[in-house]
Structure formats: structure tokens, C-alpha cells
Amino acid sequence: MNKSYIKCLECGTINYNNDYCSNCDALLDVVLKRKLESEKKIEAKVKQEKEKPPSKVEVFLKNGLENPNSIIRYFFKTIYGIWLFFAVIIGGIIAAVTAAAAG
Ligand SMILES: [Zn+2]
């Protein structure tokens, strides 16, 4: 078994073959720590996207999709499809322009 001394980054305590600091319970494995941190960041971003309120256009179109009149529903379905299509394209253009501006 691979035993090692690891210095805690949080409090400086030297720990012998521990995953967590004996003094402050901080995670000692830096690789694992980074991995957990990046996973947390991704999770937070996904959560943020989910909690983001839909735009006014989307709300308007979604209301239209629930219209009791089938002709109006069909009309909104078409518009909604076009809207989603353009939202993806515009999003892509904005991302490309941002990337170009950032160099
Ligand atoms: Zn510690």
C-alpha cells in the first residue's frame, strides 16, 4: 500500500496516509479535491440554467401552445419551432463572436 505524508492545505497539519485532515477534515487529495470542485461548478451552472426564468417570448409561445383552438395551437407550434431554431443559431453566433472577441 502506498503510504504518504500529506500536508493539509487548509490548516497546515501533517497527516499520515489520510484522505481527510485529522485536524480540520479538509480533503487532502488535491486531484480529488479539484475534481470535486469542478463537478460542483458544473452542477451549479446546470442548476442556474434550470432556474433561469423563461424569456417573455417563450412564455407567450408556450401559452399559445395550450390554446384550446387547434388552428392557433398549430400556428404557435410552427412559430415555437422557428423560435427555437433561431435561438440556437443566435446563441451560436453570440458564442462565436464572444470567442473571436476574446481572441
Ligand atoms: Zn487541516
Side-chain angles (χ1 to χ4, degrees):
M1 212 177 137
N2 189 18
K3 294 192 173 183
S4 58
Y5 289 97
I6 305 169
K7 189 182 172 191
C8 174
L9 295 171
E10 302 296 327
C11 68
T13 303
I14 306 293
N15 292 274
Y16 179 61
N17 204 31
N18 259 341
D19 283 338
Y20 292 90
C21 176
S22 58
N23 184 46
C24 71
D25 280 336
L27 190 60
L28 295 173
D29 190 327
V30 179
V31 176
L32 188 62
K33 196 179 171 185
R34 280 204 192 125
K35 203 181 150 208
L36 286 174
E37 271 172 6
S38 64
E39 271 171 13
K40 254 187 210 168
K41 268 184 203 165
I42 291 165
E43 246 172 55
K45 212 173 180 186
V46 169
K47 209 178 158 193
Q48 209 179 21
E49 285 291 314
K50 271 185 192 164
E51 282 170 359
K52 208 166 68 177
S55 69
K56 275 178 188 170
V57 180
E58 266 180 77
V59 171
F60 171 71
L61 291 173
K62 273 184 179 157
N63 285 339
L65 287 173
E66 279 155 25
N67 197 292
N69 188 320
S70 65
I71 294 164
I72 291 174
R73 269 208 314 273
Y74 183 77
F75 172 75
F76 271 95
K77 225 175 171 178
T78 310
I79 301 287
Y80 191 63
I82 294 166
W83 162 252
L84 283 183
F85 178 71
F86 276 103
V88 168
I89 288 178
I90 291 165
I93 290 168
I94 289 168
V97 168
T98 311

